[in-house]
Amino acid sequence: MDEVTFKSDTVLSDVHLYTPNQRHLMVRLNSMGQPVFLSQFKLLWNQDSQIDSGTEGGDYRDVPTEGNSAGTGSPQSPPGSGCSSEGVSLQTGADTTGQEGAGVQLDEDGDLDVLRRPRAASDPDPAWPPRDKVHPMILTQEEDDVLGDEAQESSTHSVIKIEHTMATPLEDVGKQVWRGALFLADYILFQWDLFQGRTVLELGAGTGLASIVAATVAQTVYCTDVGADLLAMCQRNIALNSHLIAPGGSVVKVRELDWLKDDLCIDPAVPFSWSEEDISDLYDHTTILLAAEVFYDEDLTDALFRTLARLAHRLKNACVAILSVEKRLNFTLSHLDVTCEAYDHFHASLHQLEKLRDGQLRFSVEPVEASFPQRLVYERIQQLLCWSLWKCLFGRDISESSNQQDVLLGN
């Protein structure tokens, strides 16, 4: 396969920009005839790991963080590795800019000013790894399994393997890996205590990356989306990463959950349908909901928030939804300006839900500070944002984050 041809309605994943010097093995064609690639995402468990994370115009920084400073109960070694946590610290690339500074940068004429990274050739002595190769190197099945050789060189507990596509129509973007999923995975690894032994539901899981990371610490994870081909990809990715999931005894269940339908599919003839036991467990034990990079379409955003409200009524326990989104800036002819309409609609919907009063049920919305450590190799940009949406308990004031987390943990 010498080159990839894109149509005018093709949405191109930039997964190859996260690890620009790695090669992505094309492993098969899916049922839609789309090439499926296998990529590795390295977990940074020790200080010997290198990270390439730029947040301000190519400013690359390695920020070592001592193990105890990463947050309450943060893991000090790979899950299931059997390694002692004593004396071990994590190499992290934290973005300390927080939520501020995510605005649009304009030049003197009012045009969008895009800060570009210098190529390696422009600096005879660069301080970071070369980034002059920013396109995927596509391998064929006949070539040596380079990915397999690389995986053997590192610990099996340091690599997440994900099958994904790189170019799809808009309706199939869930088959691609997006930066917001990696951002959400970082948050999960940071909030170890919050996820420990919990039942987690991911909405719009896509390739299942965030669900796989959640399964390294949670007890049960429901990885949900729509489309038999996409859900089959999720199932395959879970199998590829059993080395991360199995040691903790976690269970990952891939299920269909359509935001446009009020009820879960229980027809056993439908692939990835729900059993009565699944539904009972979901409503009785779920305390954490996840969603990453699913807010690109206004109708789907509205459907997701309706689904969140519906689930909040049916879940028996206090719960929190963690929502990860990339604030994408686009020049639109309708505004003749740079806007981020998808994010603006998401933000408005978020606060509309916060104002909702349905009996004693109410929601509390808070931004998540983006300074938590980075443990996956990708470019953490300022436009990556995270929000927490808390379902408040009846008759209890848990307006502060610490109080909300205590309630969720049963304190």
Side-chain angles (χ1 to χ4, degrees):
M1 184 175 183
D2 298 329
E3 63 181 66
V4 180
T5 302
F6 304 112
K7 298 180 180 180
S8 58
D9 61 346
T10 297
V11 179
L12 176 63
S13 170
D14 55 356
V15 64
H16 51 283
L17 296 180
Y18 309 149
T19 51
N21 295 317
Q22 282 200 14
R23 286 166 282 190
H24 305 270
L25 174 65
M26 177 182 164
V27 292
R28 60 188 174 88
L29 295 176
N30 63 19
S31 63
M32 306 295 292
Q34 300 160 342
V36 176
F37 299 86
L38 177 65
S39 296
Q40 293 186 97
F41 297 90
K42 187 176 181 181
L43 285 163
L44 305 176
W45 293 113
N46 55 65
Q47 289 188 349
D48 294 332
S49 301
Q50 293 282 334
I51 187 165
D52 179 19
S53 175
T55 59
E56 294 184 1
D59 179 16
Y60 302 94
R61 294 165 292 178
D62 290 344
V63 185
T65 304
E66 293 186 5
N68 292 336
S69 65
T72 305
S74 297
Q76 301 304 307
S77 60
S81 64
C83 300
S84 169
S85 63
E86 184 176 354
V88 181
S89 58
L90 294 170
Q91 170 69 31
T92 63
D95 177 5
T96 58
T97 57
Q99 304 294 334
E100 292 78 21
V104 182
Q105 297 185 13
L106 304 177
D107 62 16
E108 59 184 7
D109 296 323
D111 299 322
L112 178 63
D113 188 10
V114 180
L115 295 177
R116 302 189 182 278
R117 301 175 180 177
R119 291 182 178 271
S122 65
D123 187 350
D125 188 22
W128 51 82
R131 294 187 58 87
D132 55 334
K133 188 186 296 181
V134 294
H135 58 277
M137 181 179 295
I138 301 173
L139 306 181
T140 63
Q141 291 282 24
E142 289 75 19
E143 296 185 50
D144 293 335
D145 186 0
V146 180
L147 294 180
D149 295 339
E150 291 175 353
Q152 293 176 2
E153 295 176 1
S154 61
S155 169
T156 57
H157 294 282
S158 299
V159 172
I160 300 176
K161 297 180 181 180
I162 297 293
E163 284 194 0
H164 61 93
T165 60
M166 284 191 182
T168 63
L170 183 62
E171 60 268 19
D172 282 337
V173 292
K175 297 176 183 177
Q176 304 186 41
V177 177
W178 300 99
R179 204 162 12 216
L182 298 165
F183 188 56
L184 180 58
D186 272 342
Y187 179 80
I188 294 168
L189 292 171
F190 171 64
Q191 289 285 3
W192 198 258
D193 275 356
L194 181 64
F195 288 82
Q196 185 79 45
R198 299 290 165 181
T199 297
V200 177
L201 168 65
E202 184 177 10
L203 301 168
T207 61
L209 190 150
S211 287
I212 290 167
V213 173
T216 64
V217 60
Q219 178 178 344
T220 304
V221 177
Y222 289 97
C223 176
T224 70
D225 214 310
V226 293
D229 191 57
L230 176 58
L231 292 172
M233 179 182 285
C234 282
Q235 191 76 66
R236 185 169 176 83
N237 284 332
I238 290 164
L240 286 171
N241 293 280
S242 58
H243 61 286
L244 292 172
I245 299 170
S250 301
V251 176
V252 184
K253 298 183 179 182
V254 179
R255 296 291 183 265
E256 177 185 292
L257 198 159
D258 190 339
W259 307 341
L260 301 178
K261 298 179 181 178
D262 292 339
D263 298 316
L264 302 175
C265 177
I266 58 174
D267 184 353
V270 177
F272 306 103
S273 59
W274 297 75
S275 68
E276 295 293 342
E277 182 182 357
D278 290 337
I279 295 175
S280 177
D281 178 62
L282 176 73
Y283 293 152
D284 289 346
H285 300 110
T286 299
T287 55
I288 301 174
L289 298 90
L290 305 173
E293 292 281 44
V294 294
F295 308 102
Y296 55 88
D297 177 86
E298 292 187 4
D299 292 335
L300 286 179
T301 297
D302 293 341
L304 175 61
F305 277 101
R306 287 195 299 269
T307 300
L308 286 173
R310 184 166 60 250
L311 288 169
H313 282 83
R314 296 177 181 177
L315 298 179
K316 295 183 178 179
N317 298 308
C319 62
V320 59
I322 309 298
L323 312 177
S324 171
V325 59
E326 181 175 339
K327 186 177 181 180
R328 291 183 172 85
L329 309 174
N330 298 287
F331 181 86
T332 62
L333 291 176
S334 58
H335 295 87
L336 291 179
D337 199 358
V338 176
T339 64
C340 42
E341 291 183 309
Y343 177 79
D344 290 343
H345 185 77
F346 159 76
H347 191 265
S349 301
L350 196 65
H351 289 286
Q352 184 177 358
L353 187 62
E354 185 179 29
K355 297 175 182 178
L356 179 66
R357 294 292 184 270
D358 188 356
Q360 291 181 303
L361 181 63
R362 63 187 181 88
F363 298 91
S364 174
V365 176
E366 294 181 356
V368 174
E369 184 64 37
S371 58
F372 49 86
Q374 181 170 344
R375 294 174 184 163
L376 284 160
V377 178
Y378 65 100
E379 182 188 16
R380 184 183 285 190
I381 60 176
Q382 296 178 2
Q383 285 75 29
L384 285 172
L385 305 172
C386 198
W387 292 83
S388 62
L389 177 61
W390 298 85
K391 169 190 169 182
C392 298
L393 294 178
F394 300 141
R396 297 189 62 175
D397 181 10
I398 52 171
S399 57
E400 297 296 329
S401 295
S402 58
N403 292 339
Q404 292 170 333
Q405 186 160 326
D406 287 343
V407 170
L408 202 63
L409 293 173
N411 299 333

